[in-house]
Amino acid sequence: MESTAVKKKTMTLVQAITDGMRTMLEEDDRVLVLGEDVGKNGGVFRATDHLQEEFGEDRVMDTPLSEAGFIGAAIGMAVNGLRPVAEIQFLGFIYPAYEQIMTHASRLRSRTMGHYTVPIVIRAPYGAGVRAPEIHSDSTEAIFTHMPGLKVVCPASPSDAKGLLIAAIEDPDPVLYLEPMRCYRSSREEVAEGKYTVEIGKAKKVQEGEDVTVITWGAMVPVAAQAVKEMEATGVSCELIDLRTLYPIDRDTIAESVQKTGRTVIVHEAHGTGGVGNDVLAIVNDTSFLYQKAPVERVTGFDSPVPFFSFEDEYLPTPARVKYAIEKVIKF
Amino acid sequence: MESTAVKKKTMTLVQAITDGMRTMLEEDDRVLVLGEDVGKNGGVFRATDHLQEEFGEDRVMDTPLSEAGFIGAAIGMAVNGLRPVAEIQFLGFIYPAYEQIMTHASRLRSRTMGHYTVPIVIRAPYGAGVRAPEIHSDSTEAIFTHMPGLKVVCPASPSDAKGLLIAAIEDPDPVLYLEPMRCYRSSREEVAEGKYTVEIGKAKKVQEGEDVTVITWGAMVPVAAQAVKEMEATGVSCELIDLRTLYPIDRDTIAESVQKTGRTVIVHEAHGTGGVGNDVLAIVNDTSFLYQKAPVERVTGFDSPVPFFSFEDEYLPTPARVKYAIEKVIKF
Amino acid sequence: MENDFPIKMWIDENGNVQEKEYKEVVTEKLTRTFYQQLIRIRTFDRKGISLQRQGRIGTYAPFEGQEASQVGSAMALETNDWMFPSYRDHGATMTFGHSLKNILLFWNGRNEGCIPPEGKNIFPPGIPIATQLPHAVGAAFAEKRKGSKNAAIVYFGDGATSEGDFHEGLNMASVFDAPVVFFNQNNGYAISVPMEKQMNTKTIAQKALAYDMPGVRVDGNDVFAVYAETLKALDRARSGEGPTLIEAVTWRYGAHTTADDPTKYRDQLESERRREEADPVLRVERLLKNQGWFDEQWAEEVKKQAAHEVDAAVAEMESFPPVDPNDIFDHVFAEPTWQLQEQKQQYFQAKKGVPVWNQQQ
Amino acid sequence: MENDFPIKMWIDENGNVQEKEYKEVVTEKLTRTFYQQLIRIRTFDRKGISLQRQGRIGTYAPFEGQEASQVGSAMALETNDWMFPSYRDHGATMTFGHSLKNILLFWNGRNEGCIPPEGKNIFPPGIPIATQLPHAVGAAFAEKRKGSKNAAIVYFGDGATSEGDFHEGLNMASVFDAPVVFFNQNNGYAISVPMEKQMNTKTIAQKALAYDMPGVRVDGNDVFAVYAETLKALDRARSGEGPTLIEAVTWRYGAHTTADDPTKYRDQLESERRREEADPVLRVERLLKNQGWFDEQWAEEVKKQAAHEVDAAVAEMESFPPVDPNDIFDHVFAEPTWQLQEQKQQYFQAKKGVPVWNQQQ
Ligand SMILES: Cc1ncc(C[n+]2csc(CCOP(=O)(O)OP(=O)(O)O)c2C)c(N)n1
Ligand SMILES: Cc1ncc(C[n+]2csc(CCOP(=O)(O)OP(=O)(O)O)c2C)c(N)n1
Ligand SMILES: [Mg+2]
Ligand SMILES: [Mg+2]
């Protein structure tokens, strides 16, 4: 559902997120933003900048430093009619709230057969590559996609960011909304004013191609795009897919593309073992086995903790590593 | 490393676990057992039965109801020379400690380049099928195998249980030791007395076969074994592999088997999306693409929370479902 | 500290009213109502154990001994308030209006057990210890934001006070002035772990000092004292004065759950002694007798009524339609994802004996 | 409650000793030592900010204003004690003997920064708030089990008190009588969130009441009071009397980290006022002067010494060999798993421009 609004404004990804929250705070009185430092400070990344000024302390609330507490409280609020949008300061600090998300946010609907529901959004900046101090750079989306009852989205562009955020806020179920920090201000794009949504569960074909399907999301989209561009120069035509939603993954778009190209490269910055890339691999296995001309290649972070920033770039997939993988599936 | 001890004793899986702890409490003064109700009560499953009596309150300690607290404290103890074996009452209650395991137990070695290490074992009964109250039946091993720095093991037989537990206690790194509740007392086996280990990272070929490789672990081993047995009667020869270790998975055993049979069925009770089965699938993809005669089949729990016990059996893979999968890869 | 938090008592163990001023509240009508409720939930609880022993339900968590805490606190609620119980608080949820049948269904492994009657704000039982406290804070906060006078009450045990969520819940409630009552039943044990291994303090009420929140200890076997203190706390909540921590000092007579053997870790004679000396039901019976309000026939009638109601609920529970496996798939999200749709289809095919491999991919 | 927890002060803001009996402790030697340490860590801290501004290190968390809390507490430790700092406590770790070079390496994104000098028990900085408290309890417990007299001290901020781990740590320590000192630096803010939005209480010390643990408030800008109270708490710990909670009331002058702009959320004039009135370094200088112990030349020497030491550390940091990517793979486990071995091999091949697809599977 793209909007019919025509007025557009140039924004960074983080500005588009602010705009999405502002739009929904205006639109829906039940929406409320909460988290650490989201008030006067506007969040450590300024994602909630000026929102408290505009909407008051009742709508944009600083909470104590208490992730389990405020996510738990947000669940109670959601059950009682509000639409909380909670900010976790960095994904690496969500773990104290893991139980509240795992056992309650994601299960309450099924426990009560739909009697109680938890329409909350949990926003979290994530990923490496911005020289943040250690433990600020985790990309552990896989520990959330394995939680039945939770949706997980991750925009890579400003207009997707706004549209997915509004879709997440309107979703009747809990949504983890991951914000690739590296993309916060790395580029600008025209973003429609007012309310519009990007459908949860739909991938985006960033580029059409014939020889290889490259599947990625978040901060790896520009990395993969760079590799794809360089490969095109050598005559290899790549289809680039930005998943945008990590649960439920858009199976049809993947299958269609892989059945066309026969070759798949998956790129993500999380650790290889147990990464969401394996879900993509499983989709290829399940839908497109006979079309495969080569084994699926995965270009991922290593099975090590995300290293300190002085060598985080060594950890992160690079265009070169993506290119090797593309060459490998081509030459198989 | 199988032991040279010859004396054996018939034990259930849970008795073998007790025996493993007793062996190590005797052997190594640094070993200490802690958790909720592990003292006088001997644990809710009696896994620590009589150990406090035998070794004193200093070695077998009841803790407050505080998973983050006592796992965090166990980390501090381990760093300071002890070898804590912590019991989580049910895997579904480990989540409050998720941050301590994710950020500290598993990362301290790499953060400090080996200066500090965390040789702890976290034991947790897990899985469905014992008519436990809701939320007592999670099998969320995948959210741990994705944590760099943590090993994850899961025995399916009494003698593996003891050998793997001792190996885990002696391991210089943190080990999550999953105990399939459904197997606690479901069968007995001869278990060697005294100290011996089962190597972490080595799968077990439960049965040799030619046509299909069936890979599973924990409480699904007997389920898969039943299916395999029934398939054999129809002339299909199955190789059954019990992974035993979920990180690091024994790649060589899988590759060797799949390269022989060309067909793979993976069985686990956790949710399909993001399950450890996908890591197995990735190993098949990476090592044995050209040997594959059919896509890998996965028989898993659903993408729903583990249901209440009145229909948990509907959720769990059954021999019938495993058989369908075997037939499917055969007839592909 | 114990002296700073004396245990409030209205009716002593012999059934005597402690202070003259209480007499206005301790009316015949209220006393009879309490008696009825106490008998009712005790009857239910004993049936729960016996159903489990007969294999007619699953593991069951009994509350016998704690009836006054549950009845007294639940009776203090107004109809639109919120209740966040733990697994041991179905005495309270029953009193607040939960359906007996549904409570039984819960213990029989049925999701329907998590659903309260229409219009009743009762959360499903908190299973992971203390996690319900933040929920109650959030729900209470939402009431405050709506400008209502509704409050929330949340139940938890002595063991629960060791969890981080206990602390985070109380701290947030105190910061937000959330209209919530933290109702602790200190029954002396968390499974096998006695209070003195759970905490260094002799009282739980004093933990309120960490939040500049009123904390009060009450005799949890005295239904009047519990009722009065809960009412007071709810009044504070409704009038914007914020949360209160109540410690109801009580005892569980029996096992932690039917899967537990208390003789492993404690002398059950203590329970027998308390049953004679400090039983919450006996205390009201003694009060009724002391006041001349007791009537043997009426009491028999109350018991018969209770047995009848419970039996009817058991019958309803047992004639309840079997589980529908559709429910595994249909309530995970508002709209099932393709994974769930497909898994459901495959499940039913496998069930019918249609090999899954027959399907198109 | 504030009255129950008066702020202990030895030296007032004008540098006057408060009680006669303190004079025995407030010796010239100790005062000079404190002065030296305070200057030393302040010098380091200012260098940290300037290095960050010049892009020579990454994000840096300054502690200026909190020097007395960190020096006073760290000086109270014995050499074999354990220290569990947060990211803002390198003033304390330096004082306890951490290497300045390694501290700088930490802020420059190097793992070496997490490694203390041989024989010094200093944990890496706690990054996820409050998670280090349970570690300290465990390490202290292990000392107790060994029968040693060693204790542990753990540092954390006002914001950290809202986390569950704060509560679980204090509760466990009190139950186990662990020899640990919980050293809170209440600097008034958790990033932008002022204490009054973090908690409902006016003091942090009172939270000790929830554990029947001694709690004490001390002027965190008075190095002597901090030192004396920490010594007392450590003595209690060593002699088996269990843990203590110390609240050192202080202030951070500057930004939360170099990535933060404090003017967004508070009036920085308050910092300026405090810098003049209540500065921890100035206070010791005034004391030295009042006592006639001050010597301009010596003070200059102290500053020069400090600058020299810090400059040397910066030079060491900057001439430190570049990161070795092997370290990404080699310290995850004692023995790298096959995944790590293979990823490492592929990483180096890709680095060399050897296409990964050339490898055998
Ligand atoms: C997080 C978590 N850890 C462990 C358990 C297992 N468990 C169930 S009840 C219980 C004891 C609770 O004691 P208390 O809070 O005193 O409540 P009571 O059972 O006495 O009513 C434990 C440890 C759990 N349900 N949740
Ligand atoms: C679990 C967690 N949540 C959030 C953060 C982000 N964060 C870093 S410092 C900080 C404020 C800490 O305040 P306080 O405890 O008062 O310590 P101070 O920084 O004032 O020394 C926050 C919210 C974090 N590091 N860890
Ligand atoms: Mg209890
Ligand atoms: Mg602070």
Side-chain angles (χ1 to χ4, degrees):
Chain A
M1 283 191 291
E2 289 302 321
S3 143
T4 54
V6 259
K7 270 184 82 181
K8 298 210 171 194
K9 217 168 142 179
T10 303
M11 291 183 195
T12 60
L13 190 139
V14 67
Q15 286 168 339
I17 288 169
T18 312
D19 196 45
M21 279 188 276
R22 178 178 289 116
T23 303
M24 291 309 289
L25 281 162
E26 271 164 7
E27 164 96 7
D28 185 344
D29 194 46
R30 299 168 307 172
V31 172
L32 148 168
V33 167
L34 76 169
E36 294 154 13
D37 304 289
V38 299
K40 263 194 192 168
N41 201 35
V44 293
F45 288 102
R46 303 286 178 262
T48 57
D49 217 13
H50 299 300
L51 296 180
Q52 189 178 68
E53 244 168 273
E54 291 169 43
F55 297 96
E57 293 204 27
D58 246 34
R59 307 282 309 283
V60 181
M61 303 166 54
D62 280 323
T63 64
L65 218 176
S66 176
E67 286 81 7
F70 77 75
I71 296 294
I75 292 168
M77 291 174 189
V79 163
N80 198 2
L82 301 179
R83 293 269 177 165
V85 179
E87 174 176 305
I88 293 284
Q89 212 153 68
F90 290 84
L91 188 64
F93 305 139
I94 202 172
Y95 311 126
Y98 194 73
E99 173 174 64
Q100 285 290 348
I101 304 169
M102 169 64 107
T103 313
H104 296 296
S106 67
R107 291 193 218 204
L108 196 59
R109 179 189 286 274
S110 58
R111 290 182 75 198
T112 64
M113 305 171 86
H115 184 84
Y116 290 121
T117 60
V118 187
I120 62 171
V121 176
I122 302 173
R123 294 178 38 240
Y126 97 122
V130 301
R131 280 175 72 84
E134 57 154 354
I135 311 185
H136 287 67
S137 308
D138 281 14
S139 52
T140 43
E141 57 265 39
I143 64 169
F144 296 97
T145 51
H146 190 55
M147 270 185 200
L150 182 71
K151 294 179 184 169
V152 182
V153 302
C154 177
S157 77
S159 59
D160 282 352
K162 181 173 169 185
L164 274 173
L165 180 57
I166 294 175
I169 294 173
E170 294 200 315
D171 198 278
D173 287 303
V175 180
L176 177 66
Y177 180 92
L178 297 171
E179 305 177 359
M181 281 186 261
R182 224 173 139 182
C183 303
Y184 263 158
R185 296 179 174 87
S186 61
S187 68
R188 287 163 187 278
E189 186 180 76
E190 295 268 275
V191 173
E193 290 191 359
K195 189 175 152 189
Y196 69 93
T197 57
V198 168
E199 193 180 336
I200 294 176
K202 288 277 169 268
K204 174 159 82 179
K205 247 182 223 170
V206 179
Q207 171 177 320
E208 307 256 354
E210 300 302 321
D211 303 325
V212 182
T213 301
V214 179
I215 302 169
T216 190
W217 58 90
M220 290 300 105
V221 173
V223 171
Q226 177 65 27
V228 160
K229 204 175 115 194
E230 294 176 22
M231 288 309 295
E232 302 270 332
T234 73
V236 176
S237 161
C238 299
E239 184 139 307
L240 178 59
I241 295 175
D242 170 6
L243 282 186
R244 298 197 295 198
T245 292
L246 305 181
Y247 191 88
I249 291 179
D250 182 349
R251 179 172 57 166
D252 295 343
T253 298
I254 294 172
E256 191 215 303
S257 178
V258 173
Q259 288 171 16
K260 175 174 67 178
T261 64
R263 300 183 184 87
T264 314
V265 171
I266 301 163
V267 185
H268 63 67
E269 66 173 282
H271 323 298
T273 298
V276 173
N278 288 350
D279 282 316
V280 178
L281 172 50
I283 287 172
V284 173
N285 171 81
D286 292 352
T287 62
S288 312
F289 180 72
L290 292 176
Y291 299 85
Q292 278 186 272
K293 298 176 186 152
V296 173
E297 273 299 302
R298 289 165 300 141
V299 181
T300 70
F302 307 122
D303 277 17
S304 70
V306 183
F308 278 58
F309 73 74
S310 61
F311 47 173
E312 65 181 342
D313 292 344
E314 308 303 311
Y315 169 89
L316 287 170
T318 55
R321 283 177 59 207
V322 178
K323 275 166 61 188
Y324 290 143
I326 295 172
E327 289 176 25
K328 186 172 172 188
V329 297
I330 291 285
K331 306 212 174 162
F332 181 77
Chain B
M1 281 193 292
E2 290 301 322
S3 143
T4 52
V6 261
K7 272 183 83 180
K8 298 210 172 194
K9 218 168 141 179
T10 303
M11 291 183 195
T12 60
L13 190 140
V14 67
Q15 286 168 338
I17 289 169
T18 313
D19 197 44
M21 281 187 277
R22 178 178 288 117
T23 303
M24 291 309 290
L25 281 161
E26 272 164 7
E27 164 95 8
D28 186 344
D29 194 44
R30 299 168 306 172
V31 172
L32 148 169
V33 167
L34 76 168
E36 294 154 12
D37 304 291
V38 299
K40 262 193 191 170
N41 201 36
V44 293
F45 288 103
R46 302 286 178 263
T48 57
D49 217 12
H50 299 300
L51 295 181
Q52 188 177 69
E53 245 168 272
E54 290 169 44
F55 297 95
E57 293 204 26
D58 246 33
R59 306 284 307 281
V60 181
M61 303 166 53
D62 281 324
T63 64
L65 219 177
S66 177
E67 287 81 5
F70 76 75
I71 295 293
I75 292 168
M77 292 175 189
V79 164
N80 198 1
L82 301 179
R83 293 269 176 166
V85 180
E87 175 177 304
I88 293 285
Q89 212 153 68
F90 290 83
L91 187 64
F93 305 139
I94 202 172
Y95 311 126
Y98 194 72
E99 172 174 65
Q100 285 289 349
I101 303 169
M102 168 65 106
T103 313
H104 296 296
S106 68
R107 290 193 218 203
L108 196 59
R109 178 189 285 277
S110 57
R111 290 183 76 199
T112 64
M113 304 172 86
H115 184 84
Y116 289 122
T117 60
V118 187
I120 61 171
V121 176
I122 302 173
R123 295 178 37 240
Y126 97 122
V130 301
R131 279 175 72 84
E134 58 156 351
I135 311 184
H136 287 67
S137 308
D138 281 14
S139 52
T140 44
E141 56 267 38
I143 64 169
F144 296 98
T145 52
H146 190 55
M147 269 185 202
L150 182 71
K151 294 179 184 169
V152 181
V153 301
C154 177
S157 77
S159 59
D160 281 351
K162 181 173 169 185
L164 274 174
L165 180 57
I166 294 176
I169 295 173
E170 293 200 317
D171 198 278
D173 287 303
V175 180
L176 177 66
Y177 180 93
L178 297 170
E179 305 176 0
M181 282 186 262
R182 224 173 139 182
C183 302
Y184 263 159
R185 296 178 173 88
S186 61
S187 69
R188 287 163 188 276
E189 186 179 77
E190 295 268 275
V191 173
E193 291 189 359
K195 186 174 153 191
Y196 69 93
T197 57
V198 168
E199 193 181 337
I200 294 176
K202 288 277 169 268
K204 175 158 83 178
K205 247 182 222 168
V206 180
Q207 172 176 319
E208 306 256 353
E210 299 303 321
D211 303 326
V212 183
T213 300
V214 179
I215 301 169
T216 189
W217 58 89
M220 290 301 105
V221 173
V223 171
Q226 176 66 25
V228 161
K229 204 174 116 194
E230 295 175 22
M231 289 308 295
E232 302 270 330
T234 73
V236 177
S237 161
C238 299
E239 184 140 305
L240 178 59
I241 294 175
D242 170 6
L243 281 186
R244 298 198 295 199
T245 292
L246 305 181
Y247 191 87
I249 291 180
D250 182 348
R251 180 172 57 165
D252 295 342
T253 299
I254 293 172
E256 190 215 304
S257 179
V258 173
Q259 289 173 14
K260 175 174 66 177
T261 64
R263 299 184 186 89
T264 313
V265 171
I266 301 163
V267 185
H268 64 67
E269 67 173 282
H271 323 300
T273 299
V276 173
N278 287 350
D279 282 316
V280 178
L281 171 51
I283 288 173
V284 173
N285 171 80
D286 293 351
T287 62
S288 312
F289 181 72
L290 293 175
Y291 299 85
Q292 278 185 273
K293 298 176 186 151
V296 173
E297 273 298 301
R298 290 164 301 141
V299 181
T300 70
F302 308 122
D303 277 17
S304 70
V306 183
F308 279 57
F309 73 74
S310 61
F311 47 173
E312 65 181 342
D313 293 345
E314 308 304 310
Y315 169 88
L316 287 170
T318 54
R321 283 178 58 208
V322 177
K323 275 167 61 189
Y324 290 142
I326 295 172
E327 288 174 27
K328 187 172 172 187
V329 296
I330 291 286
K331 306 213 174 162
F332 181 78
Chain C
M1 273 296 171
E2 268 183 286
N3 297 337
D4 294 343
F5 293 90
I7 296 184
K8 306 222 172 170
M9 187 192 266
W10 279 42
I11 314 294
D12 72 14
E13 295 167 355
N14 299 316
N16 300 314
V17 183
Q18 294 299 289
E19 306 281 342
K20 276 215 198 77
E21 74 229 56
Y22 298 163
K23 298 255 174 175
E24 272 169 50
V25 179
V26 185
T27 60
E28 179 173 353
K29 182 153 174 266
L30 185 59
T31 312
R32 281 176 183 263
T33 308
F34 280 147
Y35 186 74
Q36 262 172 322
Q37 276 301 337
L38 292 165
I39 292 289
R40 179 172 176 260
I41 73 170
R42 177 165 289 185
T43 306
F44 180 94
D45 192 56
R46 291 184 176 174
K47 178 63 86 180
I49 295 179
S50 99
L51 289 171
Q52 189 282 330
R53 293 225 174 102
Q54 296 163 47
R56 291 158 72 189
I57 60 172
T59 303
Y60 175 80
F63 52 70
E64 189 162 340
Q66 304 180 205
E67 291 91 344
S69 295
Q70 299 199 15
V71 166
S73 55
M75 295 266 301
L77 294 172
E78 295 293 334
T79 184
N80 289 320
D81 288 336
W82 283 81
M83 180 180 273
F84 293 81
S86 87
Y87 49 85
R88 202 187 299 291
D89 301 311
H90 35 295
T93 65
M94 279 171 64
T95 304
F96 187 47
H98 210 319
S99 129
L100 275 60
K101 175 197 73 186
N102 280 19
I103 296 170
L104 287 168
L105 284 169
F106 179 80
W107 293 109
N108 209 15
R110 295 295 296 262
N111 292 68
E112 289 82 355
C114 288
I115 305 176
E118 204 43 51
K120 269 278 161 243
N121 299 319
I122 304 175
F123 225 61
I127 303 290
I129 300 298
T131 53
Q132 69 273 26
L133 275 72
H135 305 159
V137 176
F141 174 88
E143 289 298 335
K144 189 180 159 188
R145 234 200 79 170
K146 289 180 200 168
S148 86
K149 289 279 173 206
N150 303 328
I153 189 167
V154 55
Y155 292 83
F156 57 102
D158 41 303
T161 64
S162 298
E163 290 281 7
D165 277 8
F166 163 79
H167 170 68
E168 298 193 26
L170 270 74
N171 185 55
M172 293 232 333
S174 73
V175 170
F176 293 148
D177 262 342
V180 55
V181 177
F182 294 100
F183 192 85
N184 179 270
Q185 285 167 84
N186 179 355
N187 65 7
Y189 279 84
I191 310 187
S192 73
V193 179
M195 183 175 173
E196 60 274 18
K197 290 193 174 182
Q198 194 69 244
M199 65 194 83
N200 197 36
T201 59
K202 300 268 179 301
T203 84
I204 285 167
Q206 78 192 70
K207 295 178 194 295
L209 297 172
Y211 316 97
D212 270 359
M213 184 192 292
V216 56
R217 283 185 106 195
V218 57
D219 182 336
N221 288 5
D222 173 355
V223 67
F224 281 95
V226 170
Y227 175 70
E229 288 302 328
T230 311
L231 263 185
K232 215 190 287 175
L234 286 165
D235 277 351
R236 288 192 66 247
R238 294 186 211 290
S239 57
E241 291 169 63
T244 304
L245 172 62
I246 297 176
E247 174 189 357
V249 182
T250 180
W251 191 259
R252 90 169 129 80
Y253 291 152
H256 167 70
T257 68
T258 50
D260 169 62
D261 172 11
T263 63
K264 277 279 281 186
Y265 52 81
R266 73 181 194 190
D267 185 351
Q268 281 296 92
L269 283 178
E270 174 71 12
S271 288
E272 289 318 308
R273 191 186 62 72
R274 286 177 187 251
R275 193 184 277 284
E276 271 159 41
E277 285 172 16
D279 186 68
V281 185
L282 213 54
R283 193 175 312 191
V284 176
E285 201 170 299
R286 285 172 184 153
L287 170 67
L288 284 166
K289 285 179 179 156
N290 292 349
Q291 301 286 337
W293 298 333
F294 192 74
D295 168 348
E296 194 68 55
Q297 227 174 347
W298 170 79
E300 279 313 306
E301 192 50 40
V302 165
K303 286 172 192 165
K304 242 173 39 206
Q305 266 290 334
H308 190 263
E309 187 189 358
V310 170
D311 286 344
V314 173
E316 273 191 284
M317 181 268 289
E318 295 198 319
S319 65
F320 201 73
V323 283
D324 175 358
N326 278 297
D327 289 329
I328 295 178
F329 308 95
D330 291 352
H331 309 292
V332 182
F333 294 102
E335 296 293 332
T337 58
W338 61 261
Q339 289 91 339
L340 287 158
Q341 288 171 32
E342 196 153 285
Q343 289 166 2
K344 175 172 161 177
Q345 191 197 5
Q346 292 182 358
Y347 165 83
F348 280 106
Q349 277 185 283
K351 201 78 185 163
K352 277 187 266 166
V354 181
V356 176
W357 52 269
N358 263 346
Q359 276 184 251
Q360 38 126 231
Q361 278 289 2
Chain D
M1 271 296 170
E2 268 183 285
N3 298 337
D4 294 343
F5 293 90
I7 296 185
K8 306 223 172 168
M9 187 192 266
W10 279 43
I11 314 293
D12 71 15
E13 295 168 357
N14 300 316
N16 299 314
V17 183
Q18 294 300 288
E19 306 280 344
K20 275 214 199 78
E21 74 230 57
Y22 297 164
K23 299 254 175 177
E24 272 168 52
V25 178
V26 185
T27 60
E28 178 173 353
K29 182 150 174 268
L30 186 59
T31 312
R32 282 176 183 262
T33 308
F34 280 147
Y35 186 74
Q36 263 171 322
Q37 277 300 337
L38 291 166
I39 292 289
R40 179 171 176 259
I41 73 170
R42 177 165 288 185
T43 306
F44 180 93
D45 193 55
R46 291 184 176 175
K47 178 63 87 181
I49 294 179
S50 98
L51 289 172
Q52 191 281 332
R53 293 225 174 101
Q54 297 163 46
R56 291 158 72 189
I57 60 173
T59 303
Y60 175 80
F63 52 70
E64 189 163 339
Q66 303 180 206
E67 291 91 343
S69 294
Q70 299 199 14
V71 166
S73 55
M75 294 265 301
L77 294 172
E78 295 292 333
T79 185
N80 289 320
D81 288 337
W82 283 81
M83 180 180 272
F84 293 81
S86 87
Y87 48 85
R88 202 187 299 292
D89 301 311
H90 36 295
T93 65
M94 279 171 63
T95 304
F96 188 46
H98 210 319
S99 127
L100 273 60
K101 175 197 72 186
N102 279 20
I103 295 170
L104 287 169
L105 284 169
F106 179 80
W107 293 110
N108 210 14
R110 295 294 298 261
N111 293 68
E112 289 82 356
C114 287
I115 305 176
E118 203 43 52
K120 269 279 163 241
N121 299 319
I122 304 175
F123 225 63
I127 303 288
I129 301 297
T131 53
Q132 70 272 27
L133 275 71
H135 306 158
V137 176
F141 174 87
E143 289 298 334
K144 188 180 160 186
R145 236 200 77 172
K146 290 180 200 168
S148 86
K149 290 278 173 206
N150 303 329
I153 190 167
V154 55
Y155 291 83
F156 56 102
D158 41 303
T161 64
S162 298
E163 289 282 6
D165 277 8
F166 163 79
H167 171 68
E168 298 193 25
L170 268 75
N171 185 54
M172 293 231 333
S174 73
V175 170
F176 292 149
D177 262 342
V180 55
V181 176
F182 294 100
F183 191 85
N184 179 270
Q185 283 167 85
N186 179 356
N187 65 6
Y189 279 83
I191 309 187
S192 73
V193 179
M195 184 175 173
E196 59 276 17
K197 289 192 172 180
Q198 193 69 243
M199 65 193 81
N200 197 35
T201 59
K202 300 268 181 300
T203 85
I204 285 166
Q206 78 191 71
K207 296 180 193 293
L209 297 172
Y211 316 97
D212 269 359
M213 185 192 292
V216 57
R217 284 184 106 196
V218 58
D219 182 335
N221 289 5
D222 174 354
V223 67
F224 281 94
V226 170
Y227 176 70
E229 287 303 327
T230 311
L231 262 185
K232 216 191 286 176
L234 286 165
D235 277 350
R236 290 191 67 247
R238 294 185 210 291
S239 56
E241 291 168 62
T244 304
L245 172 61
I246 296 175
E247 174 189 357
V249 182
T250 180
W251 191 259
R252 89 169 131 78
Y253 291 151
H256 168 69
T257 67
T258 50
D260 170 62
D261 171 12
T263 63
K264 278 279 280 184
Y265 53 80
R266 74 182 192 189
D267 185 351
Q268 280 296 91
L269 283 179
E270 174 72 11
S271 288
E272 289 319 307
R273 190 185 64 69
R274 287 177 186 253
R275 193 185 277 283
E276 271 159 42
E277 286 172 13
D279 186 68
V281 185
L282 213 53
R283 193 176 311 192
V284 176
E285 203 171 297
R286 286 172 183 153
L287 170 66
L288 283 166
K289 284 180 178 157
N290 291 349
Q291 301 288 335
W293 298 332
F294 192 73
D295 167 347
E296 195 68 54
Q297 226 174 348
W298 169 78
E300 280 314 305
E301 191 49 42
V302 165
K303 286 173 190 167
K304 242 176 32 208
Q305 266 291 334
H308 191 264
E309 187 188 358
V310 169
D311 287 344
V314 173
E316 273 192 284
M317 182 267 287
E318 296 199 319
S319 64
F320 202 72
V323 285
D324 176 357
N326 278 297
D327 289 329
I328 296 177
F329 308 95
D330 291 351
H331 310 291
V332 183
F333 295 102
E335 295 293 331
T337 58
W338 61 260
Q339 289 92 339
L340 286 158
Q341 288 171 34
E342 197 153 287
Q343 290 167 2
K344 175 172 161 177
Q345 191 197 4
Q346 292 182 359
Y347 165 81
F348 280 107
Q349 277 185 280
K351 201 78 184 166
K352 276 187 268 165
V354 180
V356 176
W357 52 268
N358 263 345
Q359 277 183 252
Q360 39 127 231
Q361 276 289 359

